[in-house]
Amino acid sequence: MGKYDELRDFLRHQRLAQVTLTFAEVAGVVPGGLPPSAYVHRAWWANEESGTHSHARSWLHAGYRTTDVNLTAGRVTFTRAD
């Protein structure tokens, strides 16, 4: 089981086309929370399926993409991929 599997499963159970969560809410779903880079680097939230970005694969495999990241407010919006 990967660190971000619970985030994937959480998003899979969502019925909304868009889900906006605070970083604290996302961290609450991920065992051990989010790394410091998630709070300061927009690139951490990029929709990259290749490489070592298992966190991005978690929401992509749940059928979502990040569409808005607000580092100042500490929130992210996931939107269902078409």
Side-chain angles (χ1 to χ4, degrees):
M1 185 163 161
K3 177 175 181 173
Y4 298 98
D5 288 353
E6 289 186 39
L7 176 59
R8 179 201 62 213
D9 295 343
F10 172 83
L11 288 170
R12 280 184 177 164
H13 288 96
Q14 301 306 304
R15 300 289 181 232
L16 300 172
Q18 285 192 326
V19 178
T20 299
L21 302 168
T22 65
F23 292 172
E25 290 171 323
V26 176
V29 174
V30 175
L34 295 173
S37 56
Y39 297 89
V40 295
H41 297 293
R42 183 178 307 281
W44 191 90
W45 298 96
N47 295 302
E48 296 181 14
E49 192 161 354
S50 62
T52 59
H53 300 127
S54 60
H55 56 282
R57 283 193 299 277
S58 71
W59 59 73
L60 292 170
H61 289 177
Y64 283 88
R65 299 179 57 78
T66 55
T67 54
D68 184 45
V69 176
N70 187 322
L71 295 176
T72 304
R75 72 176 174 257
V76 59
T77 298
F78 298 97
T79 302
R80 278 204 191 276
D82 291 332

